[in-house]
Every structure is written in C-alpha cells, then in structure tokens.
Amino acid sequence: MLKNLFIETIGCQMNMRDSEIMLQLLKESGYLPCPDLAAADAVIVNTCSIRGKAEQKAYSFIGSLRRLKEENPDLIIAVAGCVAQQEGEKMRLRMPHVDIILGPQSIYQLPDLFQQVAHERQGIIATSQSQDFAIPSFLPDLKNGLAHKRFVTIMQGCNNYCTYCIVPYTRGREVSRRQEDILAEVQHLVAGGVREITLLGQNVNSYGNDQPRSERTSFPELLRQVAAVPGLVRLRFTTSNPKDLSPALMACFQDLANLCHHFHLPVQSGANGVLAKMNRKYTVEEYMAQVLGLRQACPDISLTTDIIVGFPGETVADFQATMDLMEKVRYDSAFSFKYSSRPPAKSCGFEETVSDQEKVRRLAILQNRQQEITEERHQEWVGKTMEVMIEGESKMANGQWSGRSSQNLIVNFHSPAIYSPGDLETVTITESCLNSLRAELKLEETLKND
Ligand code: 5AD
Ligand code: SF4
C-alpha cells in the first residue's frame, strides 16, 4: 500500500535539492509526496543551521511533531540537514520522538534507514562523515519537481572556513561530483524537457580541487561542457567565493550564449579589517576589481550579494565602509543578515562588540538603502527589450504572465498567447515596481498576436 510522505524543507537550494533526492529515493519504497501533515505516514524535516534563527525554526517544527507521534506511534519522523548533522545525539535526547537523525552525506541511505526503523524504533543516528565520501551517481525523476528548471548539485561541503560559518562543520570537506555524472544528469534533464539548469555548490569555483591534478576539470571547463548540452536554454550557478573568481570564469560570460547574466558574489563586509577577521582572503580593492572585470565581460550582468552586519569588532566606520561599497557596486539585490554566533565556528571565540539593538539598526539602514538601489536599478531597465522565460500565468488576472529575465529579474506582462513554463518571450519593460518589472510584448509581437 502506498504511504504518505510530508517533507518540510528549511534553508538553501542545496537542501531543496537534497529533499527532492530523498523524496525520489523513498518513492521507490512506496512513499508519495503529501502536502497534508496530519495525513502523513512519514515526515522528513530537512534543517538549516546557518543562523540561530533557522535552527530555532527547525527545533520548533520538530517539537510540534511530538503530538502527532503520540496520536500515531507508527509515524516515522526523520530529521535531515545541517542541524541533524551537528546536533546528532543531543537532538535525540532533546527530541526523543524523532526516529532518524541523518546528515547531508547520509541521504542516500534513507530507504535502508526507513527499513531499519520499522524493526528497531530506537532513534537511529546517521551522521558519520567520511574522507572518501563520493556523491553517488543518481538520475533525477523527471516527474518529481519543476518541469522547466532544475538544480544540479556539482559539489558538497566547503574548505574555506570563513570564521563565522558553520557549513564546513555541517557539510564537511569539499567533495566534487564526477564530471560524467553531472553531464549525464544534465543531459537526462534536458532530454526530458528541462530548459534551465542551476549548478549548485557552496563554493563552485573550487570544483575539481579535490580531484587528482591529472584528472581535474576546473569549474569554467565544467561550465563550458554543461553549456554545450544540446537543448539547454539557460544555465546558472551559485555560489562563488570572490577570492576564486578567475579570468577563465569571466570569459565564460563572453563566450557562452546560454549562460545567464547574473552573478551572486557574496561580499559579507566592505571593511578590510572585518574581511580579514572573517578569513575571507580578499580585500575590498580586490573585490571591486572582480566587479569591474565582470561588468567588462558582461555589461548588463546583474550582481547580487550577501552581507553580514554586526560581526564581532565591526565599528560604525566599518559599517559605513560596507554602505560605501554598496553605493559603488549598486547591487541589483542583496541578502543581509545580523551576525549570529554559530558554535563551533571560530568567531564564537571573538568578543561580540555590537549589541542586538545596534545590529537591528545597521541592518535596517542597509536594507532600506538597498531597496532604493534595487528600485533605481529596476528603473534603468524601463524602455529596454529583453527575453523572459515564462514561469506561469498569474492567478490573479487572465492573460497576465510572469517570467524571469536572464538577470533573474521577475517580469510581469500581459499577453493573449498561451505559454508553457520554460517558453521564451521578448518583451519591452514599461515600468519598474518594488520587486519586479512590468512589461509589454515587443511591438512586432503585439502586431503578430493581433
Ligand atoms: N551569521 C550571519 N550570517 C551568516 N551567514 C553565514 N553564516 C552566518 C552567521 N554566522 C550568511 C553569509 C552567507 C549566507 C549564506 O549566510 O552572508 O553568505
Ligand atoms: Fe561558509 Fe565561507 Fe564556505 Fe561560504 S565560503 S560556505 S561562507 S565557509
């Protein structure tokens, strides 16, 4: 008999992809996705621990499952992801109603763990991390997930040890996936109708560094191979550490027609002293040179970033330096966060000098200014023509369609045509809104459709 599986995913795109993999693996054991928690036979909570808030969110959701488990003792509860990896035994003591605690490297064992739990009911912990871990070859189920755009994991883990960051501890050392497996996955997806692929890794520029020198493929080489898969319309990737952004990668933006004009380049701070204490291994000047290089290679590239405010020791002048950098770069958008101390990351040993109230103040100033810059950047598109990939029809009004530009901007427009997600349309931008652009069909298109 088929069983119901409810998955709650918190956190980054890596977790989203891992959740898809877990669902696919369990489908083969007779589980189907179920949006209704109350009707579930099994629940997976895929957790994130990047900041304290995400971890609290995970714990409060897991805690709320206790009542369900009391009502239905056969319910299987599995907790995956970074909080599970990090907390292990501690989580079992705190949340005894959880049956399986598994780390990111153990997701492929999930069907076996489900089997095991049916017999043991003991609280299984699968969080071991191996030096020789290799990401298994695995072809995604085309029916499970979005039809027109997909994520493909190219590596796991991170070796950078930025001092604030928990990722090297939860996701382990960098492990690159075999190039043949990545290409096979992309070919399989594109043959099945997928039009846009995003290559995923914590630090994609380090792709291949863990492989023997003679067999190594660099990230720009991999990007070129993936871009050449026939039928792939759009290619994206995330995330890159600015210290590793090579001229070879910049050149890809000039050479590869299907590589999207968007680069997420986390800066974290605009003050050299703070960057050094963060162990980011670049200076503001080096970062600005990367920005210039990218804009030379691809003038209409959209740049986005991550910024932390209130890092231990961040002075008002340091914060101002971050604001100044934002003014210089003029990001299309930015994710910004209050510093959160995450043991065992190294910065936990640094004295916290910025009060929570001051972090809130700095964050509000930064976010308000960024919102203005985002709107100004949007305004610059008015009157320009661009190609959008259709995401779907607006539920609010007939004939209203929403798509994404190469820069990943959301573009809404009216059209009498009927599209499928993944179709391309050429539009002219008429208006900039807070979080999106409004457009109309390009003139000839309008005439053609009349
Ligand atoms: N506190 C606040 N923000 C953090 N990030 C990572 N670790 C922390 C932390 N301890 C942010 C960084 C990173 C993004 C994914 O999350 O900006 O780029
Ligand atoms: Fe964390 Fe730095 Fe690695 Fe990004 S590059 S995952 S911020 S350690």
Side-chain angles (χ1 to χ4, degrees):
M1 202 182 65
L2 290 174
K3 294 188 193 133
N4 287 329
L5 174 67
F6 179 94
I7 305 192
E8 175 77 5
T9 307
I10 303 169
C12 66
Q13 290 147 331
M14 299 288 277
N15 268 14
M16 281 157 67
R17 178 70 197 116
D18 285 352
S19 287
E20 282 178 4
I21 293 173
M22 289 191 280
L23 173 61
Q24 182 173 340
L25 289 166
L26 287 175
K27 252 186 170 175
E28 285 152 24
S29 320
Y31 283 90
L32 283 180
C34 156
D36 179 10
L37 182 56
D41 300 297
V43 179
I44 299 175
V45 191
N46 199 359
T47 60
C48 166
S49 59
I50 193 94
R51 283 170 293 277
K53 244 192 192 167
E55 181 170 328
Q56 283 151 21
K57 188 170 162 193
Y59 264 118
S60 91
F61 186 78
I62 302 163
S64 74
L65 298 175
R66 186 175 315 210
R67 198 182 43 80
L68 272 185
K69 181 81 170 179
E70 280 163 9
E71 284 165 11
N72 173 15
D74 290 335
L75 177 74
I76 297 178
I77 301 178
V79 180
C82 291
V83 181
Q85 176 67 45
Q86 232 217 321
E87 294 276 282
E89 183 63 32
K90 251 197 266 166
M91 180 180 286
R92 181 161 67 171
L93 293 173
R94 223 175 127 181
M95 301 277 157
H97 57 291
V98 172
D99 298 295
I100 305 168
I101 296 170
L102 74 161
Q105 282 191 4
S106 308
I107 58 172
Y108 298 91
Q109 298 163 24
L110 201 56
D112 292 342
L113 297 171
F114 263 55
Q115 288 264 319
Q116 206 179 322
V117 88
H119 302 295
E120 291 178 19
R121 290 270 159 198
Q122 283 285 324
I124 299 167
I125 302 186
T127 52
S128 58
Q129 283 180 331
S130 154
Q131 288 289 352
D132 320 312
F133 172 72
I135 304 174
S137 58
F138 183 80
L139 285 182
D141 180 355
L142 285 155
K143 287 191 249 77
N144 163 21
L146 279 177
H148 78 287
K149 56 177 189 181
R150 290 292 184 98
F151 296 124
V152 173
T153 303
I154 64 161
M155 59 189 300
Q156 283 197 358
C158 183
N159 292 353
N160 280 330
Y161 290 95
C162 300
T163 53
Y164 52 80
C165 189
I166 201 170
V167 167
Y169 305 93
T170 58
R171 294 223 167 228
R173 310 287 294 170
E174 281 168 7
V175 179
S176 301
R177 208 172 153 198
R178 275 178 299 268
Q179 171 203 358
E180 314 83 85
D181 288 353
I182 298 168
L183 285 169
E185 180 164 335
V186 173
Q187 278 154 359
H188 169 75
L189 288 168
V190 174
V194 171
R195 316 256 291 160
E196 177 179 306
I197 297 281
T198 303
L199 302 181
L200 284 183
Q202 236 75 45
N203 185 23
V204 291
N205 289 313
S206 307
Y207 178 79
N209 287 357
D210 55 322
Q211 290 166 345
R213 203 166 274 278
S214 56
E215 295 163 27
R216 206 177 277 179
T217 307
S218 70
F219 180 61
E221 281 160 4
L222 178 76
L223 207 54
R224 285 174 188 272
Q225 289 171 5
V226 173
V229 170
L232 179 64
V233 180
R234 284 187 171 181
L235 175 59
R236 303 181 185 277
F237 60 85
T238 197
T239 295
S240 314
N241 187 313
K243 77 178 167 57
D244 302 317
L245 201 186
S246 62
L249 183 55
M250 287 189 195
C252 290
F253 285 91
Q254 289 175 313
D255 301 342
L256 304 178
N258 52 2
L259 182 61
C260 287
H261 293 184
H262 173 210
F263 208 108
H264 186 63
L265 196 61
V267 68
Q268 313 299 358
S269 168
N272 281 334
V274 176
L275 288 174
K277 251 180 106 175
M278 286 178 165
N279 192 31
R280 291 291 287 176
K281 303 193 187 90
Y282 54 82
T283 61
V284 173
E285 293 70 25
E286 283 159 352
Y287 183 89
M288 285 309 297
Q290 302 282 38
V291 167
L292 207 72
L294 278 172
R295 289 206 163 127
Q296 263 161 7
C298 182
D300 70 354
I301 200 162
S302 142
L303 294 179
T304 57
T305 200
D306 293 341
I307 298 175
I308 298 176
V309 300
F311 187 77
E314 184 190 73
T315 61
V316 171
D318 291 333
F319 173 64
Q320 189 53 48
T322 301
M323 295 297 296
D324 293 346
L325 177 119
M326 271 175 57
E327 295 298 335
K328 276 198 213 130
V329 179
R330 293 176 60 73
Y331 294 105
D332 289 77
S333 64
F335 298 100
S336 45
F337 315 98
K338 287 190 297 177
Y339 169 74
S340 161
S341 184
R342 306 302 293 133
K346 195 171 169 194
S347 66
C348 298
F350 303 167
E351 190 195 346
E352 281 231 37
T353 51
V354 187
S355 68
D356 191 57
Q357 199 186 5
E358 177 61 8
K359 283 183 200 164
V360 171
R361 190 187 74 87
R362 292 182 193 178
L363 192 65
I365 294 173
L366 189 142
Q367 290 183 339
N368 285 338
R369 181 61 194 130
Q370 181 55 51
Q371 186 60 50
E372 287 169 5
I373 296 174
T374 298
E375 284 174 55
E376 289 160 18
R377 296 281 292 154
H378 279 172
Q379 195 65 41
E380 289 165 23
W381 284 104
V382 173
K384 297 207 169 106
T385 292
M386 54 163 66
E387 196 170 51
V388 295
M389 184 175 277
I390 309 295
E391 301 249 300
E393 194 172 12
S394 156
K395 287 179 190 68
M396 316 289 261
N398 269 350
Q400 292 292 332
W401 295 89
S402 187
R404 292 228 177 217
S405 73
S406 170
Q407 293 79 8
N408 214 22
L409 302 168
I410 300 170
V411 182
N412 299 310
F413 64 100
H414 181 272
S415 169
I418 300 293
Y419 305 96
S420 299
D423 284 351
L424 294 174
E425 182 59 281
T426 307
V427 297
T428 304
I429 306 301
T430 52
E431 198 186 327
S432 93
C433 310
L434 214 58
N435 298 310
S436 62
L437 296 169
R438 275 218 67 81
E440 57 188 29
L441 287 180
K442 213 181 141 202
L443 197 60
E444 328 59 291
E445 298 292 328
T446 318
L447 293 174
K448 204 170 69 195
N449 282 311
D450 274 348

Coordinates of all heavy atoms in Angstrom, one line a residue, residues 299-301 332 376-388 405 407 409 411-413 425-432 437-443:
P299 N 28.3 43.6 -19.8 CA 27.9 44.9 -19.2 C 26.5 44.8 -18.6 O 26.3 45.6 -17.6 CB 27.9 45.7 -20.5 CG 28.9 45.1 -21.4 CD 28.8 43.6 -21.1
D300 N 25.6 44.0 -19.0 CA 24.2 44.1 -18.4 C 24.1 43.0 -17.3 O 23.0 42.6 -16.9 CB 23.1 44.0 -19.4 CG 23.0 42.6 -20.0 OD1 23.9 41.7 -19.8 OD2 22.0 42.4 -20.8
I301 N 25.2 42.5 -16.7 CA 25.1 41.5 -15.7 C 24.5 42.0 -14.4 O 24.7 43.2 -14.1 CB 26.6 40.9 -15.4 CG1 26.4 39.5 -14.7 CG2 27.4 41.9 -14.5 CD1 27.7 38.7 -14.8
D332 N 22.0 44.6 -7.6 CA 20.6 44.5 -8.0 C 19.7 44.1 -6.8 O 18.6 44.5 -6.7 CB 20.4 43.5 -9.2 CG 21.0 44.1 -10.4 OD1 22.2 44.1 -10.6 OD2 20.2 44.6 -11.3
E376 N 16.1 51.7 -8.1 CA 16.9 52.6 -9.1 C 17.4 51.7 -10.3 O 17.3 52.0 -11.4 CB 18.0 53.3 -8.5 CG 17.6 54.5 -7.6 CD 18.7 54.9 -6.6 OE1 19.9 54.5 -6.8 OE2 18.3 55.5 -5.6
R377 N 17.9 50.5 -9.9 CA 18.4 49.6 -10.9 C 17.3 49.1 -11.8 O 17.4 49.0 -13.0 CB 19.1 48.4 -10.3 CG 20.3 48.7 -9.4 CD 21.6 48.9 -10.3 NE 22.0 47.7 -10.9 CZ 22.8 47.6 -12.0 NH1 23.1 48.8 -12.6 NH2 23.2 46.5 -12.5
H378 N 16.1 48.8 -11.2 CA 15.0 48.4 -12.0 C 14.6 49.5 -13.0 O 14.3 49.2 -14.1 CB 13.8 48.1 -11.0 CG 13.8 46.7 -10.4 ND1 12.9 46.3 -9.4 CD2 14.6 45.7 -10.6 CE1 13.2 45.1 -9.1 NE2 14.2 44.7 -9.8
Q379 N 14.6 50.7 -12.5 CA 14.2 51.8 -13.3 C 15.1 51.9 -14.6 O 14.6 52.3 -15.6 CB 14.4 53.1 -12.5 CG 13.7 54.4 -13.0 CD 12.2 54.2 -13.0 OE1 11.6 53.7 -12.1 NE2 11.6 54.6 -14.1
E380 N 16.3 51.5 -14.4 CA 17.3 51.6 -15.6 C 16.8 50.7 -16.7 O 17.3 50.8 -17.9 CB 18.7 51.2 -15.2 CG 19.3 52.3 -14.3 CD 20.6 51.8 -13.6 OE1 21.2 50.8 -14.0 OE2 21.0 52.4 -12.5
W381 N 16.0 49.7 -16.4 CA 15.5 48.8 -17.5 C 14.4 49.3 -18.3 O 14.1 48.8 -19.4 CB 15.1 47.4 -16.8 CG 16.3 46.6 -16.4 CD1 16.8 46.4 -15.1 CD2 17.2 45.9 -17.3 NE1 17.9 45.6 -15.2 CE2 18.1 45.3 -16.4 CE3 17.2 45.6 -18.6 CZ2 19.2 44.5 -16.9 CZ3 18.2 44.8 -19.1 CH2 19.2 44.3 -18.3
V382 N 13.7 50.3 -17.8 CA 12.5 50.8 -18.5 C 12.9 51.3 -19.9 O 13.8 52.0 -20.1 CB 11.8 52.0 -17.7 CG1 10.7 52.6 -18.5 CG2 11.3 51.4 -16.3
G383 N 12.1 50.8 -20.9 CA 12.3 51.1 -22.3 C 13.2 50.1 -23.0 O 13.3 50.1 -24.2
K384 N 13.8 49.2 -22.2 CA 14.7 48.2 -22.8 C 13.9 46.9 -23.1 O 12.9 46.6 -22.5 CB 15.9 47.9 -21.9 CG 16.8 49.1 -21.6 CD 18.2 48.6 -21.3 CE 19.1 49.8 -21.2 NZ 19.5 50.3 -19.9
T385 N 14.5 46.2 -24.1 CA 13.8 45.0 -24.5 C 14.6 43.8 -24.0 O 15.8 43.8 -24.0 CB 13.8 44.9 -26.1 OG1 12.9 46.0 -26.5 CG2 13.3 43.6 -26.6
M386 N 13.9 42.8 -23.5 CA 14.6 41.6 -23.0 C 13.8 40.3 -23.2 O 12.6 40.4 -23.5 CB 14.9 41.8 -21.5 CG 13.7 42.1 -20.7 SD 14.0 41.8 -18.9 CE 15.2 43.0 -18.4
E387 N 14.5 39.2 -23.2 CA 13.9 37.9 -23.3 C 13.6 37.4 -22.0 O 14.4 37.4 -21.1 CB 14.9 37.0 -24.0 CG 14.2 35.8 -24.6 CD 15.2 35.0 -25.5 OE1 16.3 34.7 -25.1 OE2 14.8 34.7 -26.6
V388 N 12.3 36.9 -21.8 CA 12.0 36.3 -20.5 C 11.6 34.9 -20.7 O 11.1 34.5 -21.7 CB 10.8 37.1 -19.8 CG1 11.2 38.5 -19.4 CG2 9.6 37.1 -20.6
S405 N 14.0 37.2 -16.3 CA 15.0 37.6 -17.3 C 16.2 36.8 -17.1 O 16.4 36.2 -16.1 CB 15.2 39.1 -17.2 OG 16.0 39.4 -16.1
Q407 N 18.8 38.0 -16.2 CA 19.4 38.6 -14.9 C 18.7 38.1 -13.7 O 19.0 38.5 -12.6 CB 19.3 40.1 -14.9 CG 20.2 40.8 -15.9 CD 19.6 40.8 -17.3 OE1 18.4 40.4 -17.5 NE2 20.3 41.2 -18.3
L409 N 15.6 38.7 -13.0 CA 14.5 39.7 -12.5 C 13.2 39.1 -12.9 O 13.0 38.5 -13.9 CB 14.7 41.0 -13.2 CG 16.1 41.7 -13.0 CD1 16.3 42.8 -14.0 CD2 16.3 42.1 -11.6
V411 N 9.6 39.5 -14.3 CA 9.0 40.4 -15.3 C 7.5 39.9 -15.5 O 7.3 38.8 -15.9 CB 9.8 40.3 -16.6 CG1 9.1 41.3 -17.6 CG2 11.2 40.6 -16.4
N412 N 6.6 40.8 -15.3 CA 5.2 40.5 -15.5 C 4.7 41.3 -16.7 O 5.0 42.4 -16.9 CB 4.3 40.9 -14.3 CG 4.8 40.2 -13.0 OD1 4.9 39.0 -13.0 ND2 5.1 40.9 -11.9
F413 N 3.9 40.6 -17.5 CA 3.3 41.2 -18.7 C 2.0 40.6 -19.1 O 1.7 39.5 -18.7 CB 4.4 41.1 -19.9 CG 4.6 39.7 -20.3 CD1 4.0 39.2 -21.5 CD2 5.5 38.9 -19.6 CE1 4.3 37.9 -21.9 CE2 5.7 37.6 -20.0 CZ 5.1 37.1 -21.1
E425 N 9.8 34.6 -24.4 CA 9.1 35.7 -25.0 C 9.9 36.9 -24.9 O 10.7 37.1 -23.9 CB 7.7 35.9 -24.3 CG 6.8 36.9 -24.9 CD 6.5 36.7 -26.3 OE1 7.3 37.0 -27.2 OE2 5.3 36.2 -26.6
T426 N 9.8 37.8 -25.9 CA 10.5 39.0 -25.9 C 9.6 40.2 -25.5 O 8.5 40.3 -26.1 CB 11.1 39.3 -27.3 OG1 11.9 38.1 -27.7 CG2 12.1 40.5 -27.3
V427 N 10.0 40.9 -24.5 CA 9.1 42.0 -24.0 C 9.9 43.3 -23.9 O 11.1 43.3 -23.8 CB 8.5 41.6 -22.7 CG1 7.6 40.4 -22.8 CG2 9.6 41.4 -21.6
T428 N 9.2 44.4 -23.8 CA 9.8 45.7 -23.5 C 9.3 46.2 -22.2 O 8.2 46.1 -21.9 CB 9.4 46.7 -24.6 OG1 9.7 46.2 -25.9 CG2 10.1 48.0 -24.4
I429 N 10.3 46.6 -21.4 CA 10.0 47.0 -20.0 C 9.3 48.3 -20.0 O 9.8 49.3 -20.6 CB 11.2 47.0 -19.1 CG1 12.0 45.7 -19.2 CG2 10.9 47.4 -17.7 CD1 11.2 44.5 -18.7
T430 N 8.2 48.4 -19.3 CA 7.4 49.7 -19.3 C 7.5 50.4 -17.9 O 7.3 51.6 -17.8 CB 5.9 49.4 -19.6 OG1 5.4 48.4 -18.7 CG2 5.8 49.0 -21.1
E431 N 7.6 49.6 -16.9 CA 7.5 50.2 -15.5 C 8.3 49.3 -14.5 O 8.4 48.1 -14.7 CB 6.0 50.0 -15.2 CG 5.6 50.9 -14.1 CD 4.1 50.6 -13.7 OE1 3.3 50.2 -14.6 OE2 3.8 50.7 -12.5
S432 N 8.9 50.0 -13.5 CA 9.6 49.2 -12.5 C 8.7 49.3 -11.2 O 8.2 50.3 -10.8 CB 11.0 49.8 -12.3 OG 10.9 50.8 -11.2
L437 N 9.4 43.8 -12.5 CA 9.3 44.8 -13.6 C 8.0 44.5 -14.3 O 7.6 43.3 -14.4 CB 10.5 44.6 -14.6 CG 11.9 44.9 -14.1 CD1 12.9 44.4 -15.1 CD2 12.0 46.4 -13.8
R438 N 7.4 45.5 -14.9 CA 6.2 45.3 -15.7 C 6.7 45.5 -17.2 O 7.5 46.4 -17.5 CB 5.1 46.3 -15.4 CG 4.2 45.9 -14.3 CD 2.7 46.3 -14.6 NE 2.2 45.5 -15.7 CZ 1.7 44.3 -15.6 NH1 1.7 43.7 -14.4 NH2 1.2 43.7 -16.6
A439 N 6.1 44.8 -18.1 CA 6.5 44.8 -19.5 C 5.3 44.7 -20.4 O 4.2 44.3 -20.0 CB 7.5 43.8 -19.8
E440 N 5.5 45.0 -21.7 CA 4.5 44.6 -22.7 C 5.2 43.9 -23.8 O 6.5 44.0 -23.9 CB 3.8 45.9 -23.2 CG 4.6 46.9 -23.7 CD 3.9 48.2 -24.0 OE1 2.9 48.5 -23.3 OE2 4.3 48.9 -25.0
L441 N 4.4 43.2 -24.6 CA 5.0 42.4 -25.7 C 5.8 43.4 -26.6 O 5.3 44.5 -26.8 CB 3.9 41.7 -26.5 CG 3.3 40.5 -25.8 CD1 2.2 39.9 -26.8 CD2 4.3 39.4 -25.5
K442 N 6.9 43.0 -27.1 CA 7.6 43.8 -28.1 C 6.7 44.1 -29.2 O 5.8 43.3 -29.6 CB 8.8 43.0 -28.6 CG 10.0 43.9 -28.8 CD 11.1 43.0 -29.4 CE 11.9 43.7 -30.4 NZ 12.6 42.8 -31.3
L443 N 6.8 45.3 -29.8 CA 5.8 45.8 -30.8 C 5.5 44.8 -31.8 O 4.3 44.5 -32.0 CB 6.3 47.1 -31.4 CG 5.2 47.9 -32.1 CD1 4.1 48.3 -31.1 CD2 5.8 49.2 -32.7

